[in-house]
Each structure stands twice: as C-alpha cells, then as structure tokens.
C-alpha cells in the first residue's frame, strides 16, 4: 500500500503547491506588482495561503506581460476553501476594485496544482 500511495501523486501528508501565471494587460505590470506587494500577499496570509515566491521573467516581451507566483497550501481541499474565502474578503474586493478602476490588470490566468517529486528539496 505504501508503494501505491507514493506512485499515485496524491499523498495527503504533504502540502500542495499552486503555480499561477498571470498574463498582464499592456502597461499594467507595475500596478499588478504594487497590488501584490502592498495588499494581496498580506491577504493571502490571512487565508492560510503561503507565498513561496513571485517572479517576472527577465527577457522581453514576457518581462512586460507575465507575472508568476507559487503558493503553498496544506492540501488541495484547503486550497479551494482558502481561495473561496479570499475572493469574498472585503479588503480584497476593495483593493481589486480600486486597482482596476481604469480596467482589469490581468487578461488571462493559468493555474496548476503541483506535487513535489521525491527528489525535490521541498519534500
């Protein structure tokens, strides 16, 4: 049974990581980075969403329109619960509305839940 659990990739005893890629509207990257740095990261923490890191590619054109981050969650189920709470958080709703007064910052979001491999430093 231990071998099957290790192969299935759904070991409930470890945390799950969520990779998110935001395709940012032209000219909105600085506003998005400011929103994350000034507000979003703190709101994530309140909802048990641990930020592993935030990145912007070095090379153009992606450096102008791609924002990448990874969150750590206790489990996939907790991730869904935490995101649900985050989206209705009054502070988040206010921050989002204010930062998007002149239009949305993000055009498209890509989301991937990931399990670390057995040889990952995250295990």
């Amino acid at each position: 049974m231990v071998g099957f659990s290790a192969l299935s990739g759904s070991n409930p005893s470890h945390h799950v990581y969520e990779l998110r890629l935001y395709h940012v509207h032209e000219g909105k990257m600085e506003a998005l980075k400011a929103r994350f740095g000034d507000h979003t990261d703190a709101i994530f923490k309140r909802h048990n969403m641990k930020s592993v890191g935030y990145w912007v590619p070095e090379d153009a054109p992606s450096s102008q329109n791609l924002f990448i981050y990874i969150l750590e969650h206790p489990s996939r189920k907790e991730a869904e619960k935490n995101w649900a709470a985050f989206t209705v958080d009054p502070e988040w709703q206010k921050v989002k509305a204010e930062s998007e007064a002149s239009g949305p910052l993000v055009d498209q979001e890509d989301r991937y839940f990931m399990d670390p491999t057995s040889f990952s430093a995250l295990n």
Side-chain angles (χ1 to χ4, degrees):
M1 197 56 130
V2 172
F4 176 77
S5 174
L7 293 175
S8 70
S10 60
N11 184 350
S13 66
H14 74 283
H15 290 201
V16 64
Y17 296 87
E18 180 181 7
L19 171 66
R20 294 183 70 101
L21 297 97
Y22 286 3
H23 303 271
V24 182
H25 283 289
E26 185 175 341
K28 304 281 187 164
M29 180 63 81
E30 291 308 312
L32 182 65
K33 290 189 321 190
R35 183 170 78 185
F36 268 85
D38 297 341
H39 305 284
T40 308
D41 188 59
I43 300 169
F44 280 166
K45 288 176 185 163
R46 273 205 318 265
H47 293 286
N48 201 26
M49 300 161 75
K50 180 182 175 188
S51 299
V52 174
Y54 299 94
W55 297 268
V56 174
E58 289 186 356
D59 300 321
S62 296
S63 60
Q64 302 303 308
N65 63 14
L66 187 60
F67 183 79
I68 304 160
Y69 67 100
I70 297 176
L71 297 174
E72 179 182 351
H73 303 279
S75 68
R76 178 87 179 251
K77 183 177 179 181
E78 285 292 309
E80 297 300 341
K81 182 184 105 187
N82 296 342
W83 271 111
F86 172 85
T87 59
V88 298
D89 183 292
E91 182 183 355
W92 165 244
Q93 290 180 339
K94 180 178 185 255
V95 165
K96 183 174 177 12
E98 289 173 356
S99 67
E100 296 186 346
S102 61
L105 304 182
V106 175
D107 177 48
Q108 175 187 335
E109 299 177 16
D110 297 325
R111 176 184 194 195
Y112 305 92
F113 283 99
M114 307 176 298
D115 292 321
T117 61
S118 63
F119 49 87
S120 175
L122 296 172
N123 262 340

